[in-house]
Amino acid sequence: MGGSASLLPREALGEYQELTFLTKQEILLAYKRFSELLPKEERENACSARVPKSQILTLPELRANPFQHRICRVFSTSGNGDDSMSFEDFLDMLSVFSDSATLDIKSHYAFRIFDFDEDGTLDRSDLEKLVDCLTGQGEESRLSNAEMEQLIQNILEESDIDKDGTINLSEFQHVISRSPDFVSSFKIVL
Amino acid sequence: GGGGRVPCCAPGRLPAPQPPCFLPLAEVFLPEETHGAAPVDFLQQLPSYQSALRRRATAGGGTQERRAAPQGPAGLRAAAGLGPEEEEDQVAAPTARECPLSMAEKRRLRVNKQADVKHLSGGKQWRRTSSKSLKKVLSEVKEFSSYLKLWRHDIHSIEGKFGTGIQSYFSFLRFLVLLNFIIFILMFSFVTLPSIIAKYGMFNSSFAKIPPKNIEPHCTVYEPSGNKGLIYFYDYLKHLLSGTGFLEETSLFYGYYTIDATWISIVRYNVPLAYLLATFAYLALSLIWIISRSLEGFKQNLVHAEDQFQSYCNKVFAGWDFCITDPNAARLKHRSLRYELQTDLEEERLKRKIADRTTKEKLRIYSLRIFINVIVLAVLLGCFYSIYRATFFSQENSNGVSNMNFLVNLLVQYLPSIVITTANIVAPQIFSFLIRYEDYSPAFEIRMILCVFLRLASIGVLLFSLWSQISSCNTDMCKACGYNYELYPCWESQVGQEMYKLMIFDFIVILAVTLFVDFPRKLLVTHCSCKLLQWFGLKEFRISDNVLEIIYGQTICWIGTFFSPLLPAIATVKYFIIFYIKKVSLIHTQKPAARPFRASSSNFFFLLVLLIGLVLAFVPLGVSIAHIPSSKACGPFRNFNTSWAVVPHTILEFPKPLQQVLYGIASEAFAVPFFMVICLVMFYFIALARAHKRVAEQLKEQLAMVRFDPLFCTPKVFFVSVIRHAGKQQFS
């Protein structure tokens, strides 16, 4: 524990504290867990290394999560589309999912995670994929077509204010602000 | 691009077209800006309009608001905030970490901001740096205090394996441990400690027992049957379990505090006043703490009229617990989510059918409901009556005969507790069975309401039964004392003993059920492949039942602390042990419920029921303190008519002006206008909330109209919207 503290420079630690919602201990723990994902020879400069997506998905916090691929895609800043994450991406992710993140930030990123086709709105296909993620991946665990139709109809009725058949960011944030469970469920703590 | 981010806090192109007719809020408010539409002048009555007007006037120009604000409320605030420097006093500019950007972009933003800071005057700079360092100090303190939290690691692992619903139960348990500990510290330091110091003469202290004047001598006779002669071991155990014998004379019960005045060194310490004030203090402390914890959930529940917990958006967007780390738990969660969604959709289809019910069917359903409710009422009354009789029987038979068998004696002593616990196990099963036929919608959790009522009212019935015995006076000698001095020379101690027995029995039952029911059941289910047992399955961890159990114990503690000042210590230890019992039982012998209880509704529900328990605890305490004459044979209130009388007595010793002020506050001349002012304030807020709600509805309608109505849009914007709509139809 003391070793990892000396590996992360103090100015970087202070800067990360200012730029994220994480506390000092949480950043150090994140650093430790991140360097454990790297092979031994790369652990020295963990701050600049990138971890491939397959390694990130071995984290217990992500391995059971049905949105794991979307999370990696949204938070990764890798230019070549391989969804690898650097340490700063990892910190960004933990910051959004931390206890002290604001509702605005959480709802903004939730919108991006749920936007499967990345067109800036949640349309029917996005909502269908979302419900499939929630109910499980097997064939027998999907809702029937009629049930899915009824469910999506209800969701759009509740959240689509301008009645255009899709949910945009403002409508999503509006409906999230009235959702009592969102803050407690949209949380990952290492 | 693939990994691109939406830049916030800066004008720029967005990755996807947003509905261009999404008018920012200020546009709708201000009639001069709308394009010939009917001015919405009712909006001008609202205070929120006035503040928007003020903000717009100082913002200097409409360029910032005119930008389409599809970034959501954050974007609007950010857009308004990053203007000229004078604005920062009104709208807090978002800090770098509140912007949804990647780390590199946040860093750039921070550097830009720091460059801006240099343009500020010295005073503003100093204010900024001092607020920053204050924030840093606060966050360090918060981090440190989160380390001190009890069971942090245990609760975190439970959350990972079972989700936030069950975790909220254990957080609630932790809160109760802390609350009881603080109450214990309060009572101990203000009541018990001074009494012990005075009785043992430490620190040069002394105490005085002033014999009560104008009281018949027979009222003051009190002989607790203490350590007289040889005591057998089982007598010792009996005394320990029922609070009699040697335990009655200890500082555990009210009778020990038979002190009228103490001097610690040279300071006079008013023990009776301290006793009463400490009681009020712990009640007030509990009330304030619970209310402050439940404020968040309160706002959600009161502001939104519709049932938010049953809303589909809440279930779908906030349905997955991101903290689950265990693949098994994830599988269970998937299953329960699917089950919940399917059940809700089915019930919605059923509701539509119900709306088509004929009058004949409605009549049938209502008469069935009335019939079943009568049965439910009868069951409740039956339970209450049996508790009443059991208390009577127990009090009559445990006071005299001491040559009873040890076990029978214990049974008689614990009879009220046994009857209460049995009623609380049997009656909910009956209710579940009956309620199935009443065909209520699932949102109306009537079984919950009935169980809460049963639990809390049982204690009330027990106390009522006790009081009717204590105050039952037939002879003149008894009337002179005001209470039944023969059977209850020190009635507060005896009420304390009943509360003590209830608490101990509650703890024994929880322990016994876990050891003798849950573990054997788990063993049978895993090792015996009998079909019947497999159908029974493991016990479900029903959050609501467990929560009611501990709230019941907490209500007993609140009522009992006045009669037994060390009871909170016992409650603290009891809940501490229960945490580990429940945790082990959950992990090894139980499975999470198929029908989940929503997490935050759980939090609010727990605190609401706890609040109901607290308010219910006020009633017996109020009656005991203010109405029933205090016992003249023991306790600090011997010289007063009732326990409350010590307060007027103390006020009489205050200086005259202060006395007059206090009398004035307590008189009708003050209370009635005060009450009227409070009512007016409340009505004002209700009217404001209703007006805001109406405006929200109208704005929603306008939003839907805005997309198509050419009156609201400029021709160019209308064109773009039509093209986009046509484009969508072409490609879909």
Side-chain angles (χ1 to χ4, degrees), chain A residues 106-168:
Chain A
K106 282 191 193 254
S107 54
H108 187 107
Y109 275 101
F111 183 78
R112 296 190 55 203
I113 289 175
F114 293 152
D115 187 8
F116 285 83
D117 51 13
E118 294 182 348
D119 63 352
T121 59
L122 297 182
D123 54 15
R124 276 178 177 257
S125 59
D126 289 328
L127 292 174
E128 267 182 36
K129 291 203 197 92
L130 171 60
V131 174
D132 281 336
C133 277
L134 287 179
T135 57
Q137 286 308 323
E139 260 314 308
E140 71 284 353
S141 51
R142 298 225 169 117
L143 293 182
S144 72
N145 281 340
E147 286 171 339
M148 181 72 80
E149 191 54 44
Q150 188 188 355
L151 180 60
I152 293 185
Q153 193 60 40
N154 284 323
I155 294 175
L156 287 176
E157 223 174 87
E158 283 175 16
S159 54
D160 189 10
I161 300 179
D162 60 2
K163 308 271 184 283
D164 64 350
T166 65
I167 304 176
N168 61 21

Side-chain angles (χ1 to χ4, degrees), chain A residues 15 88 104 134 154 179 181, chain B residues 77 107 314 334 348 600:
Chain A
E15 189 189 37
E88 294 189 346
D104 275 341
L134 287 179
N154 284 323
S179 163
D181 292 331
Chain B
R77 263 190 279 120
R107 213 177 265 131
N314 186 40
H334 283 304
E348 194 197 340
S600 76

Side-chain angles (χ1 to χ4, degrees), chain A residues 15-26 60-61 63-67 71 73-78 88-89 91-92 95 97 100 102 104-105 108-109 112-114 118-122 127 130-131 133-136 140-144 147-148 150-151 154-155 158-159 161-164 166-170 172-182 184-190, chain B residues 1-6 15-19 22 69-74 77 96-104 106-107 110 114 132 136 139-140 142-143 147 156 159 164 167 300 304 306 308-327 330 333-335 337-338 341-342 344-346 348-349 352 598-601 699-701 703-704 707-708 724 728:
Chain A
E15 189 189 37
Y16 290 145
Q17 266 187 287
E18 264 190 56
L19 293 179
T20 65
F21 290 101
L22 302 170
T23 62
K24 191 164 76 169
Q25 293 303 324
E26 287 169 346
E61 285 81 11
R63 104 188 131 192
N65 198 321
F67 300 103
I71 291 176
R73 167 62 69 101
V74 166
F75 286 100
S76 159
T77 52
S78 131
E88 294 189 346
D89 296 338
L91 277 187
D92 267 337
S95 164
F97 282 108
S100 14
T102 58
D104 275 341
I105 275 266
H108 187 107
Y109 275 101
R112 296 190 55 203
I113 289 175
F114 293 152
E118 294 182 348
D119 63 352
T121 59
L122 297 182
L127 292 174
L130 171 60
V131 174
C133 277
L134 287 179
T135 57
E140 71 284 353
S141 51
R142 298 225 169 117
L143 293 182
S144 72
E147 286 171 339
M148 181 72 80
Q150 188 188 355
L151 180 60
N154 284 323
I155 294 175
E158 283 175 16
S159 54
I161 300 179
D162 60 2
K163 308 271 184 283
D164 64 350
T166 65
I167 304 176
N168 61 21
L169 179 60
S170 317
F172 184 77
Q173 284 184 319
H174 177 69
V175 86
I176 286 292
S177 72
R178 296 163 52 181
S179 163
D181 292 331
F182 182 72
S184 51
S185 63
F186 202 73
K187 194 167 63 159
I188 295 180
V189 177
L190 281 180
Chain B
R5 305 294 186 87
V6 177
Q18 300 290 323
F22 192 103
Q71 295 128 335
R77 263 190 279 120
R97 64 183 182 179
E98 289 171 12
C99 288
L101 304 167
S102 70
M103 192 74 81
K106 281 194 272 193
R107 213 177 265 131
R110 186 161 147 261
Q114 280 177 340
K132 240 201 230 176
K136 221 183 261 186
S139 72
E140 298 261 332
K142 221 172 73 159
E143 198 179 330
Y147 258 116
H156 186 58
E159 189 179 33
T164 39
Q167 175 259 349
Q300 292 279 353
H304 307 302
E306 316 92 59
Q308 285 302 306
F309 307 116
Q310 304 296 325
S311 100
Y312 288 99
C313 281
N314 186 40
K315 288 196 171 131
V316 166
F317 294 138
W320 182 261
D321 277 338
F322 278 71
C323 53
I324 291 183
T325 56
D326 182 35
K333 184 81 185 173
H334 283 304
R335 250 210 316 244
L337 272 172
R338 186 178 76 245
L341 286 172
Q342 280 175 333
D344 281 345
L345 290 170
E346 191 184 314
E348 194 197 340
R349 289 196 289 267
R352 290 205 201 123
R598 312 255 52 172
S600 76
S601 85
L699 282 174
K700 264 197 224 172
E701 282 171 30
L703 265 175
R707 289 182 55 244
F708 298 112
R724 183 163 162 269
K728 246 206 216 160

Side-chain angles (χ1 to χ4, degrees), chain B residues 172-400:
Chain B
F172 184 65
L173 201 49
R174 173 173 63 189
F175 164 64
L176 283 183
V177 167
L178 200 58
L179 180 68
N180 281 315
F181 186 66
I182 301 284
I183 295 179
F184 165 65
I185 297 283
L186 192 69
M187 287 302 271
F188 186 76
S189 41
F190 286 105
V191 175
T192 312
L193 200 59
S195 311
I196 293 181
I197 289 177
K199 283 213 171 173
Y200 286 101
M202 300 187 237
F203 308 124
N204 215 1
S205 56
S206 60
F207 73 103
K209 271 187 175 186
I210 308 168
K213 343 172 204 349
N214 311 329
I215 298 291
E216 307 292 325
H218 60 260
C219 296
T220 64
V221 172
Y222 176 51
E223 303 273 322
S225 52
N227 307 336
K228 300 211 167 67
L230 188 66
I231 301 190
Y232 293 105
F233 174 71
Y234 52 79
D235 267 346
Y236 191 83
L237 194 63
K238 180 183 90 165
H239 289 324
L240 195 66
L241 285 176
S242 54
T244 47
F246 74 96
L247 217 53
E248 196 168 340
E249 297 168 342
T250 59
S251 57
L252 181 60
F253 292 113
Y254 180 92
Y256 178 84
Y257 302 91
T258 312
I259 299 169
D260 300 300
T262 56
W263 287 268
I264 302 183
S265 304
I266 39 162
V267 178
R268 182 166 179 270
Y269 189 83
N270 194 345
V271 168
L273 188 66
Y275 199 104
L276 197 65
L277 288 185
T279 304
F280 292 154
Y282 84 73
L283 289 173
L285 174 74
S286 308
L287 186 69
I288 294 173
W289 202 341
I290 295 173
I291 288 184
S292 64
R293 264 181 86 103
S294 60
L295 270 181
E296 254 327 298
F298 219 52
K299 263 188 278 181
Q300 292 279 353
N301 268 283
L302 280 191
V303 171
H304 307 302
E306 316 92 59
D307 194 358
Q308 285 302 306
F309 307 116
Q310 304 296 325
S311 100
Y312 288 99
C313 281
N314 186 40
K315 288 196 171 131
V316 166
F317 294 138
W320 182 261
D321 277 338
F322 278 71
C323 53
I324 291 183
T325 56
D326 182 35
N328 276 330
R331 225 188 344 256
L332 276 170
K333 184 81 185 173
H334 283 304
R335 250 210 316 244
S336 79
L337 272 172
R338 186 178 76 245
Y339 177 76
E340 198 181 341
L341 286 172
Q342 280 175 333
T343 324
D344 281 345
L345 290 170
E346 191 184 314
E347 264 145 13
E348 194 197 340
R349 289 196 289 267
L350 230 68
K351 249 201 266 184
R352 290 205 201 123
K353 255 198 328 190
I354 287 176
D356 305 327
R357 261 200 212 133
T358 62
T359 328
K360 185 167 150 214
E361 272 187 26
K362 275 197 193 152
L363 208 64
R364 189 185 71 91
I365 283 280
Y366 284 138
S367 51
L368 187 64
R369 278 191 193 166
I370 291 178
F371 176 61
I372 292 184
N373 283 335
V374 165
I375 300 183
V376 162
L377 202 63
V379 168
L380 275 175
L381 286 175
C383 291
F384 291 153
Y385 184 68
S386 50
I387 295 172
Y388 183 81
R389 293 295 320 168
T391 314
F392 238 87
F393 182 78
S394 160
Q395 290 294 319
E396 275 174 7
N397 289 325
S398 62
N399 271 337

Side-chain angles (χ1 to χ4, degrees), chain B residues 353-630:
Chain B
K353 255 198 328 190
I354 287 176
D356 305 327
R357 261 200 212 133
T358 62
T359 328
K360 185 167 150 214
E361 272 187 26
K362 275 197 193 152
L363 208 64
R364 189 185 71 91
I365 283 280
Y366 284 138
S367 51
L368 187 64
R369 278 191 193 166
I370 291 178
F371 176 61
I372 292 184
N373 283 335
V374 165
I375 300 183
V376 162
L377 202 63
V379 168
L380 275 175
L381 286 175
C383 291
F384 291 153
Y385 184 68
S386 50
I387 295 172
Y388 183 81
R389 293 295 320 168
T391 314
F392 238 87
F393 182 78
S394 160
Q395 290 294 319
E396 275 174 7
N397 289 325
S398 62
N399 271 337
V401 194
S402 57
N403 56 358
M404 249 190 269
N405 190 1
F406 159 68
L407 270 176
V408 172
N409 194 344
L410 214 56
L411 209 67
V412 167
Q413 297 253 18
Y414 272 87
L415 196 61
S417 324
I418 295 174
V419 171
I420 290 181
T421 309
T422 317
N424 279 312
I425 293 177
V426 168
Q429 308 286 358
I430 301 179
F431 294 154
S432 302
F433 176 70
L434 287 174
I435 282 165
R436 218 171 299 162
Y437 296 104
E438 283 188 303
D439 206 11
Y440 282 123
S441 67
F444 187 47
E445 297 250 19
I446 190 167
R447 181 183 168 275
M448 188 65 49
I449 298 174
L450 283 171
C451 288
V452 167
F453 179 66
L454 181 63
R455 282 259 183 197
L456 297 178
S458 323
I459 310 176
V461 170
L462 181 123
L463 285 170
F464 174 74
S465 162
L466 268 179
W467 279 324
S468 53
Q469 285 176 286
I470 291 172
S471 325
S472 64
C473 258
N474 297 324
T475 66
D476 280 331
M477 296 215 323
C478 166
K479 284 204 182 55
C481 296
Y483 55 92
N484 190 342
Y485 70 96
E486 288 166 31
L487 288 177
Y488 305 100
C490 186
W491 63 266
E492 287 101 338
S493 276
Q494 274 157 308
V495 174
Q497 280 165 352
E498 279 302 323
M499 296 290 119
Y500 174 78
K501 281 187 271 189
L502 274 180
M503 184 161 277
I504 298 282
F505 190 71
D506 188 39
F507 179 55
I508 291 177
V509 161
I510 292 179
L511 199 57
V513 162
T514 307
L515 280 178
F516 300 123
V517 174
D518 290 342
F519 272 101
R521 184 168 169 174
K522 158 84 185 254
L523 285 172
L524 283 175
V525 169
T526 29
H527 296 293
C528 175
S529 47
C530 160
K531 259 292 167 62
L532 187 68
L533 278 174
Q534 294 300 328
W535 175 77
F536 250 127
L538 287 177
K539 180 166 161 190
E540 272 186 4
F541 189 87
R542 302 196 65 168
I543 300 177
S544 42
D545 290 344
N546 281 296
V547 163
L548 271 177
E549 212 170 41
I550 56 180
I551 290 181
Y552 166 74
Q554 184 58 40
T555 311
I556 296 174
C557 177
W558 273 322
I559 299 177
T561 303
F562 176 72
F563 305 105
S564 162
L566 294 186
L567 206 62
I570 301 176
T572 307
V573 172
K574 169 182 161 195
Y575 286 138
F576 195 86
I577 299 177
I578 284 180
F579 182 91
Y580 290 107
I581 294 175
K582 289 287 178 184
K583 178 173 172 229
V584 166
S585 163
L586 175 68
I587 291 179
H588 294 287
T589 68
Q590 292 177 355
K591 59 177 189 209
R595 182 91 202 218
F597 216 78
R598 312 255 52 172
S600 76
S601 85
S602 316
N603 260 325
F604 176 67
F605 163 73
F606 304 165
L607 291 167
L608 184 67
V609 180
L610 194 63
L611 204 59
I612 294 176
L614 178 62
V615 169
L616 236 60
F618 284 157
V619 174
L621 280 178
V623 171
S624 302
I625 291 176
H627 185 69
I628 303 184
S630 56

